[in-house]
Each structure stands twice: as C-alpha cells, then as structure tokens.
Amino acid sequence: MSNDLKKLSIVIPAYNEGNTIHLILDKIKQVNLLGGLEKEILIVDDCSKDHTIESVKKYQIENSEMNISLFKHEINKGKGAALHTGINMATGELIIIQDADLEYDPEEYNVLLKPIIDGHADVVYGSRFMGGKPHRILFFWHTIGNKFLTLFSNAFTNLNLTDMETCYKMFRSDYLKSLKLTEKRFGFEPEVTSKIAKIPKVRIYEVGISYYGRTYEEGKKIGWKDGFRAIYCILKYR
C-alpha cells in the first residue's frame, strides 16, 4: 500500500434526506477500509426544506467518535455546488462521492479503493453496468439515456467507460482539487469526467458495483432535463 494514503474523505450532498440520512451514515460507520484508512465524512446540506440538518446534528451527538462535518448552503444551489463545497473542505488524500440516499452501498468503497491502494489507479469509477453485482430493475429510458451519455462522453474524452453518470467516483484528492469545476447541478458528472481525462498520464479504472435505485415516489430527483444539460456539458467541456 502507498504510505501517503491515510484518510478517505466521503462527500455527501444532501437535499431533503432527513428521514433516511442516518441509514447511509450507519452503513458508512460499519465499513472497515482497506489499509486501515481513516474516514472523514463531509455532509453538505443544500438548503433542505425538511429536517436534514437536525437529523445530522442528532447523529453527530450520538456518534461522536465519527469524524462528521456538516456544511449548510443558505440558498439552494444544486448538487454540483454542494459537491464543490465538500471537495474544497476535504482533507483526505482520497475523495469519494456518496449520495445521501440508499442507491449505492458504502460496503463497496473497498472495491473502488483496491486499484488505488495497489498502485494502479489515480481515479476509479464504480460502474452499475459491469460485473455480476445486484442492481434494481427500474427505468428503461433512464438506462438508455445513461448509456447514450456515456458513449457520447467517451467519444470526446477517448475513454471507454461503461457508466460515466455513476455517483461512485473515487479520486486522488490532488487530482480532483486541481480541477476548476463550475457546474452547479447534475452537470457535475460529465464535467468532472471531461476535465479529469485531460490530466496528463492520469490512470482511470472502472470496477463493477451494485445499484439499489429509487423510484420518483421514493425520492429520485434526476430527470430528463438533466440529461439535456449533460449533453450540453459534454460538448462544452470537450
């Protein structure tokens, strides 16, 4: 293991997740990271209308041994803006993005971590479309849209990713912090992919992960307008 890796910063953008955010934090708490890495959790509340802030503060008090920092946007700026805040405040040598819902399983952090710890990768994407992991069967057109956006992105980045839109992306912090990221909403994924691909000699890997998707009734927030924004971002940052 590379001895410069001591801490993983877990950046969680949160919007109206007051009822469930403790569940994802419980899952993160249970994970033992490879190489004994520490965990730093950075929750960025994007001006939630519910009790997300109160839920997190209560959790911090009840789990004082965990390294949890809470940041609040006074106005709603979007998921990308919340990620910018978390990335800027992260102090770990590695950063992973974690949605506040339960669609992705923190137990799989080590799957993404291994290629970096083994000295092969600088960036690892967790793909919902490769490997034999379980994934919930949901929206046909979402899947077609995701695969189209990945193909479109690949055409400009010259990468052969299978899931550009995945939430689970793990980065060496110095690589991620070196990027000037501007997308405030769901354009974060194509923007960060385009810009990370331009770093000379960057080593990008992909691993299969499971996916426990939510329906709109269960709180899913991304829609077709975000798909069009992603196309715009791929062209803009190519």
Side-chain angles (χ1 to χ4, degrees), residues 143-156:
T143 302
I144 295 297
N146 274 339
K147 290 186 175 179
F148 168 76
L149 291 173
T150 297
L151 179 65
F152 195 51
S153 172
N154 285 345
F156 290 104

Side-chain angles (χ1 to χ4, degrees), residues 5-9 37-40 67 91-94:
L5 303 177
K6 297 180 175 63
K7 187 192 302 177
L8 173 67
S9 295
L37 263 66
E38 298 174 48
K39 286 172 284 191
E40 171 187 58
N67 182 1
T91 63
E93 293 79 21
L94 298 172

